[in-house]
Each structure stands twice: as structure tokens, then as C-alpha cells.
Amino acid sequence: AKAPSGITLDRLYMHGDPDRGQKRAIALNAGETTITGCYISDIKAIGQDSQAIGGWNGPGNYTIENNYLEAAGENVMFGGADPAIPDLVPSRIVIRDNLFTKPLAWREQQQTGGPVWQVKNLFELKNARGVLVEHNVMERSWQQAQSGYAILFTVRNQDGACPWCAVEDVEFRFNLVRDVAAAIQILGIDNHYPGHQTNNIRIHDNVFDGIDRKAWGGDGYFMLLTNAPRDIVVDHNTIVQRASGGVIKIGHGIAPNITLTNNIAGHGEYGIIGTGRGIGNDSIAAFLPGARITNNVLAGGKGSVYPDGNLFPSLPDLKRQFAAYDTGNYQLAPSSAWLHAGTDGSALGADMSRVAVAPPRP
């Protein structure tokens, strides 16, 4: 009841020391806070996590909008330490129109014997409820202290004193995620301490451009599911992989009520596969029973091992469906057969008119 609230941080320049870094710019442990128009840079540390914005002991509501957010560990994270307030789950969070980035100089320093800043991911939820993440540009996540997945929905009772910790009711839409080792990791149940099961995650109308394990390390998958998350919807996304392990990798645990519809992706090496099972239907039956998997493009895959109703063009045919694939214009061409092929009668892939547009690179 005594948490500070009614706080606005507007058009501030916050930066760590260029040589020594800074562990955190904003510890968001308050209620009713708006962070807008800020420029946060050089948040980096050696041997420990660092965040542009990190919160674990504030109730919400939060609006994080139109900021430049540069950090090595996690650019934005909720959770990561047990809240001191009983039953607290940071809630009613809006994250919109931000640029999340990691400078390539940090990687180059590591490769040339300079400082090894601890790099993990771009966005992580360990304890959060009612989160809208929309119209952001999120770029550059490579394998270092973690395997390079850019977006993590991974519930954690971090130190064992938060059995109520949860990740639920999350919508991730209209974002551009680019130049990453892998895209999204979802953990259903904390494998260290008791907690709630991750549920009701909706990922739709996003572009994932440049998932590439050769360039960034890691395994190059679009999604990793572990420990039985439930009620996950992945709909109308455009997924552009280069060196890719596949689309969905399932570590272990049965994940109920999974929907995978209207997405455009390359199949990669293994497409949809679970630990110890075969590609496609064998893994789906073992780990995703009752899943709805239809009206997806899995270019380069073999249709005979997947549920009916999906499309398996060659990779050259996939590229021809777009207005200008080679220059990054992923709007479907006027001649594409996929313009009305969705389960809802709309075009497959993301609604490109609503996806965030990346600023020009310097």
C-alpha cells in the first residue's frame, strides 16, 4: 500500500560509463509509472545481468513508450528477484513503440579480447500479468551468457519465496524482431521452485527477420517450448530464417491447447520437433496433443509428416510470394495465392500495415 506511485520519467538521457558500464538505469519498483521519450544507453556489466528497465517489487500500472533502450543483460525484464510484497505480480503493463537494441561494438569487443559484457536477451518476463507488447523494434540478440533467444516468457520463483509468481495474459503483436540467434522461448513451469504455469500467451502479426544461427550463434529456432506452457496462440506471423534449426523445438513436457495458424516460415532442418521424437506428426502427437496447426507455410518441409491444411512450397517459391523478399519487403505480392488463404480469409503472415518499421541504421 505504501509503494511509490504517480511517477513520470519523460525525455531523460540516462547512460552508463562507456568503459565500466552500469548495472541498471531504472529499477521499476513503483506503481502507476510512465517512462516515455527516454534515451538509455551503455547499460552493461561483466559477470552479472544488466537492464535498461528492470522491475520486481512494484504492482503496476506501467507504460513504457517511445524509448531507446540499450542494455546487455536484458533490455527490459520483469521479475528476476522475489518481490518483498506478498502476492505481488507486476501487472497492467504496456510496452509500445520502443527500440530495443544491443550495439555490435559489444560483440566485436568480446571477439577481439576486450570487455566481455554479459549478454542474454532483449525482453524477459519472469513474473508479470496483463502485458501488452506492441509496435516495438527489437534487434540483435546473440549467443553468449544465454543461447541467444531474444524474447523470453519464462516464469521463475527466482529465490524460492514467490510461489505465486506467474507469467500470464500476454499479447505480443505488431513487433519487428530482427538479427537474432533465435526468437521466442516459453517456459511452462519453473523447474527449480514452485510457481504458476505460464498461460494465455498470444503472439500475432509480428515479423521475425534474420533468425540466423550462423551469424549469431545458438540454434536458429523460431520458438522453444519447455515444461508444459498452456494456451499459447501463434497466429499471422512472418518468420524469415536463414541458417535455422527449425520452427518449434519442444524440450520436454506436454503443452496443451496450442494454436499455430496463418504463419509464414521456412521449415529449417527439423521444423516442429520434440526431444526423442520424429519431425512433425510424431512430435506433435507426443508433446502437443490436440493442437490446432493449420494454414501455415512451412517452406521446404515435407507435407506427408504434418497435419493436413498446411503449405509446403520450395524456398524459391516462398520468396516469389513477397513484393521484394531480397530487400526485406515482406508484403505479399498482388499475385500471391496467399492473400486470402488464412483461416479468417485474410492474408497469411503478419499484417504488414501495422508492424513497426525499423529506423534507418547509422
Side-chain angles (χ1 to χ4, degrees), residues 79-92:
D82 292 346
I85 300 171
D87 300 318
L88 183 140
V89 178
S91 301
R92 302 173 302 281

Side-chain angles (χ1 to χ4, degrees), residues 51-69:
Q51 301 97 29
I53 301 172
W56 60 93
N57 197 42
N61 302 352
Y62 299 134
T63 299
I64 301 170
E65 188 169 29
N66 192 33
N67 303 285
Y68 177 92
L69 303 171

Side-chain angles (χ1 to χ4, degrees), residues 23-24 45 47-51 73-74 77 118 120 126:
K23 180 171 174 61
R24 187 175 297 113
Q48 58 180 315
D49 286 11
S50 55
Q51 301 97 29
E74 303 88 7
M77 181 169 72
Q118 181 158 295
K120 286 195 170 179
K126 292 186 173 184

Side-chain angles (χ1 to χ4, degrees), residues 103-184:
L104 291 179
W106 294 351
R107 194 177 190 216
E108 292 163 0
Q109 287 171 343
Q110 174 190 346
Q111 294 170 337
T112 56
V116 181
W117 309 113
Q118 181 158 295
V119 170
K120 286 195 170 179
N121 59 68
L122 294 166
F123 178 69
E124 183 166 10
L125 299 178
K126 292 186 173 184
N127 184 28
R129 176 185 295 125
V131 184
L132 174 62
V133 185
E134 66 175 4
H135 211 252
N136 303 280
V137 175
M138 301 178 171
E139 63 176 12
R140 300 179 184 148
S141 180
W142 58 86
Q143 182 182 33
Q144 201 244 47
Q146 287 182 341
S147 59
Y149 278 85
I151 314 298
L152 274 64
F153 305 124
T154 50
V155 64
R156 289 293 184 193
N157 174 2
Q158 191 75 25
D159 300 308
C162 183
W164 63 83
C165 277
V167 174
E168 58 191 10
D169 303 333
V170 178
E171 185 164 12
F172 189 89
R173 67 186 186 186
F174 312 135
N175 300 288
L176 170 61
V177 180
R178 64 177 182 171
D179 298 340
V180 297
I184 295 176

Side-chain angles (χ1 to χ4, degrees), residues 204-258:
H204 71 92
D205 288 287
N206 304 283
V207 172
F208 298 87
D209 184 13
I211 301 172
D212 190 343
R213 69 183 183 188
K214 183 177 180 180
W216 305 104
D219 59 24
Y221 275 85
F222 165 64
M223 181 173 287
L224 169 62
L225 302 177
T226 55
N227 273 25
R230 63 177 174 87
D231 305 325
I232 310 298
V233 174
V234 182
D235 183 52
H236 278 293
N237 298 284
T238 298
I239 303 159
V240 181
Q241 304 115 306
R242 293 179 177 88
S244 168
V247 181
I248 297 179
K249 179 168 68 172
I250 307 140
H252 44 79
I254 294 173
N257 196 22
I258 302 297

